[in-house]
Amino acid sequence: MTAKKATKQYVYFYGFGKKHTEGGAGDKAIIGGKGANLAEMALADLPVPPGFTVSTEACAYYSKNGQKYPPNMQAQLKQKLGKLEKKKKKKLGDPRDPLLVSVRSGAAVSMPGMMDTVLNLGLNDKSIHGFMKQIGNERAGWDCYRRFIDMFGSVVMGPTTGLEHEHFEHELDRLKKKYGAAEDTDLTANQMKEVVEAYKKVYAKKVKKPFPQDPFQQLDLSIRAVFGSWTSPRAEKYRQINKITGLLGTAVNICTMVFGNLGDDSGTGVAFTRDGSTGDFEPMGEYLINAQGEDVVAGIRTPKNLQDMPKEKDPIWKKAYKDLNVIMKRLEMHYKYPQDVEFTVERGKLWMLQTRNAKRVGLAGVRWAVEMATAKDVVTGKSQPKVLTPKEALMTLQGSDLEQLLFPIFDAASEKKAKVFGTGLPAGPGAAVGHIVFTAADAEAMVKKDPKAKVLLVRHETSPEDVGGMWAAQGILTSTGGMTSHAAVVARGWGKCCICGAGGMRIDYRNKTVSNGKKTLKEGDWLSLNGSTGVAYEGQLPTQSSPVVAAIVSGNKTAAKHPYYKMYKQISDWSDQFRKINVRTNSDTPADSKAGRAFGAEGIGLCRTEHMFFEGDRIWAIREFILADNKNGREKALAKLLPYQRKDFEGIFAAMKGLPVTIRLLDPPLHEFVPHGASDQEEMANRLEIPKEFVASRVQQLHEFNPMLGHRGCRLSITYPELCVMQTRAIIEAAINVEKRRKTKVIPEIMVPLIGTKAELDYLATIIRQTADAIIKAKKSKLKYLVGTMIEIPRAALTADEVAESADFFSFGTNDLTQMAFGYSRDDIGTFLPDYLNEKILPHDPFQSIDVSGVGQLVEMGVRKGRDSKPGLKCGICGEHGGDPASVKFCAKVGLDYVSCSPYRVPIARLAAAQAAIKG
């Protein structure tokens, strides 16, 4: 005989203490965050109105099975409702003493605004009279009924009928005007009854049915509305924006009503255990007397500051304030995080309706973490309760929280009033203000003429040739390109504000204008960019700089005393204490290297030599190399480049003071270094004293249909070995010079880019080692160096065991690896990525956060196979993913030795590495 299968539970009761409460804080996945926290507060014997929660599993079943409830759910619902009625000694819909409930949504992760609350469910034309008799307040009774009709109509029936809150508000305003009432609280009982009748007519007109009088039908329709809200466009958009995946659905919370609108001894409010804007230790919040929950946030009445509560005339408010503060402190200690609570005071008694981890800005989050673990206010120095350990404090943070401490920001009041010009991708956080220019040359010229000039470079896109102007500009705005486009990568490396992919903007280079809709700005006009949000504003907005950057990069001693810097340093120190993976920086100049080291980088993971070729006369030497038609001519041109490269490397080695420096040999295709316009080609011909026809012909020869898969990377040095020789010579001679002059150790790591076969690496590694060894011998040096490769072609990862035989290290170039694994152009993905995200074809931009199941598998395979062939092989990552917290945690998991990222992302990577180690 088979055992009877247990009935799956879909409805969970809470309230009346531990004996009757099912679930708790650990059950968020099943009963949602709101339900779990209500149960947890009930277990702690806090004043929580009792109720029950319909699980997220029920929602999942409903969504997948044609909007049908799972088996036994309705029976469980009736059983829990019966228990609630018995304990409260009231019945839903009872004309003499009705039980009224609220209905709310509550997923495992807080999603504000997914579905609004329905209050006072259970009222109808009969139960309203019993309710008014019980509360002894006829006006409050009609007020509750009209609120219920409004909320039920707009929240439950609105999505399918078009009935909105404004339809009801129109009638309320009409009757307030009719009776000369300034506020809804000024309406009498009979006048409020008239509002109810008007609301019922609004409902019937839109819904084509009378307002439902059966309370069980009211409850059923409300539960279905909550379940349906899970797949609403706004809920799906919220989850997409916040990268929330893997949830079953939303729970439904049915809670006994408590009333804040019964008179001057009743009210409702919202409070935070700490300030979510400044991080201040003191609680903050708002409340209203003689009101229900939605009034506080609806803007119908102006709420009062929480600190005014004990000053109210009625002494019950002083006690309510005291009780609230005791409970909030208790909740913060219990949840080990500042809480956002909702409360109602009903005739002097405080009831807690909700608690959840408080939303906050990054600055507040960092301050909370530091103060809760050090038990000391970073501003005043006063003692506080110790809530967290340093490990726990780090786990409360996100990389974006630290980021907000590093970049200049706009004055909040000014930004709120500013006129929005357009929006794009927030590619380089911070704020920038300047005059619009449309060419890199103009940007450089303006700043050269006046070093204090502030310009913003506005382009369709940028290229390596624009770096001078990009550096001169305060910020960069492009109409195309994504988060890993050239403009975005370079800007982040410099800590420079940047907005990319502002597709609504039309840039006219000829007339030097940029337009968005009917608004056109011309060269020289002021523009303000918020790189943290991707919003561009007309005009000149005031900014405030980051004291953290001033203290770290500039060595400003005053800034080092600022609370921001103290918080930053404490988080960074804790991160270094716990992390196991190293963090390097991507750097191409001595200045970048110093900044990266100041931010805590433990070496350079990627030095891109091509960026050095665009400064001053260097560009002419590389162009001479490109135009040379024989080896002798190429070597002559490269000889002019050699001292420049050597000097650059000396500056970088000196800045890193004994830390390893990975230098990538020339990678981009040669066409990026030559002019494509006729006038520029003529200038090149005159400068190099060659026919302009020859220049045009050579430029045409360099044209490729797909340059990113063309003659670039190791292929250049295989075709022109003399290029590899020159770069190796510059690296090794610079290292020897710095060791000799500065008496400091130098650790050069020479990296061959874009190999797909072991043979390619073998060919160039032989040249590198022969060249390096000959110089070291001639200089009588003991310099040690490494020769490795970038793993950025899928075939290299698949054959990593073979490649490792010839490599001293691997560095995974995940930008190109992602590009080739997916077959997506990282510069063109913006044309279809929004559709892929909207349709859930991709969970996120794979160029921002590593694709673990695909690209990640290639990385993991490359590490494993490489170390199988060469145990202890050093492996790192140098793509933009090295600064993405989720990607850093993946890198730590698969055993990489280090990640490398832009200088201003180093603190974020250090934090993510520590979190990966703590999580284990």
Side-chain angles (χ1 to χ4, degrees), residues 834-847:
D835 298 325
Y836 272 50
L837 296 177
N838 288 336
E839 299 300 328
K840 300 185 180 64
I841 293 171
L842 288 176
H844 55 73
D845 184 343
F847 290 103

Side-chain angles (χ1 to χ4, degrees), residues 729-792:
R729 176 173 291 278
I731 294 167
I732 298 302
E733 288 181 352
I736 292 172
N737 290 345
V738 171
E739 281 199 339
K740 184 177 180 180
R741 294 172 191 164
R742 294 181 176 264
K743 307 297 182 184
T744 184
K745 186 178 181 181
V746 177
I747 310 172
E749 301 175 347
I750 302 173
M751 183 163 66
V752 179
L754 212 71
I755 68 106
T757 68
K758 177 178 180 292
E760 289 172 314
L761 179 59
D762 286 341
Y763 182 89
L764 293 176
T766 299
I767 295 173
I768 293 168
R769 290 189 172 109
Q770 287 178 349
T771 303
D773 292 347
I775 296 170
I776 291 169
K777 183 177 180 181
K779 298 280 188 179
K780 297 180 180 179
S781 171
K782 295 182 180 180
L783 179 75
K784 303 295 182 184
Y785 66 93
L786 301 178
V787 179
T789 186
M790 286 186 83
I791 305 294
E792 48 191 334

Side-chain angles (χ1 to χ4, degrees), residues 73-196:
M73 191 200 99
Q74 284 184 301
Q76 293 176 25
L77 192 67
K78 290 180 180 178
Q79 187 266 325
K80 302 299 182 187
L81 176 59
K83 180 176 181 177
L84 181 62
E85 290 175 329
K86 184 177 180 180
K87 297 292 290 183
K88 290 295 293 182
K89 298 179 182 179
K90 295 174 181 282
K91 282 189 174 292
L92 193 69
D94 187 342
R96 292 168 297 178
D97 189 8
L99 172 71
L100 303 186
V101 297
S102 64
V103 179
R104 312 172 95 181
S105 65
V109 178
S110 178
M111 287 181 254
M114 191 180 78
M115 190 189 116
D116 298 322
T117 301
V118 176
L119 302 179
N120 311 322
L121 188 146
L123 283 175
N124 57 29
D125 292 348
K126 293 181 179 180
S127 64
I128 179 62
H129 297 289
F131 174 63
M132 288 189 294
K133 185 176 181 181
Q134 290 300 322
I135 63 173
N137 188 327
E138 189 176 348
R139 188 211 165 275
W142 290 117
D143 183 42
C144 287
Y145 197 8
R146 68 96 183 174
R147 290 172 186 270
F148 174 45
I149 297 170
D150 182 345
M151 285 183 272
F152 184 89
S154 57
V155 175
V156 177
M157 305 305 295
T160 57
T161 65
L163 181 56
E164 297 180 357
H165 172 66
E166 286 72 19
H167 296 124
F168 296 108
E169 279 294 295
H170 177 75
E171 287 300 300
L172 179 63
D173 290 340
R174 180 180 66 82
L175 290 168
K176 282 165 59 178
K177 186 176 181 181
K178 175 182 176 181
Y179 293 111
E183 303 281 354
D184 57 356
T185 51
D186 296 328
L187 293 171
T188 66
N190 284 332
Q191 291 165 355
M192 195 62 78
K193 180 181 179 181
E194 189 176 342
V195 173
V196 168

Side-chain angles (χ1 to χ4, degrees), residues 281-282 371 374-385:
F281 178 63
E282 292 302 315
E371 292 184 351
T374 61
K376 185 178 181 181
D377 192 307
V378 297
V379 176
T380 66
K382 293 180 179 178
S383 296
Q384 296 182 5

Side-chain angles (χ1 to χ4, degrees), residues 330-345:
R330 187 175 167 188
L331 288 171
E332 183 173 288
M333 291 299 291
H334 179 77
Y335 286 101
K336 294 191 171 185
Y337 199 79
Q339 295 295 291
D340 165 7
V341 305
E342 294 179 20
F343 63 92
T344 285
V345 176

Side-chain angles (χ1 to χ4, degrees), residues 596-672:
R597 186 178 173 86
F599 278 118
E602 297 159 305
I604 293 176
L606 176 63
C607 175
R608 295 158 287 208
T609 55
E610 61 269 12
H611 285 180
M612 303 172 179
F613 292 166
F614 286 98
E615 295 183 21
D617 291 335
R618 306 176 190 202
I619 188 64
W620 296 107
I622 191 67
R623 287 173 173 174
E624 185 179 336
F625 162 79
I626 292 168
L627 291 174
D629 56 5
N630 57 62
K631 183 178 180 181
N632 184 56
R634 290 192 293 271
E635 289 181 334
K636 182 180 177 182
L638 291 171
K640 296 177 182 179
L641 274 175
L642 175 62
Y644 290 122
Q645 288 247 284
R646 184 170 54 222
K647 184 178 180 182
D648 285 333
F649 294 140
E650 286 175 354
I652 290 170
F653 290 143
M656 296 317 291
K657 298 179 180 178
L659 295 174
V661 177
T662 302
I663 300 170
R664 182 180 71 185
L665 300 182
L666 190 65
D667 180 52
L670 296 180
H671 79 84
E672 290 194 6

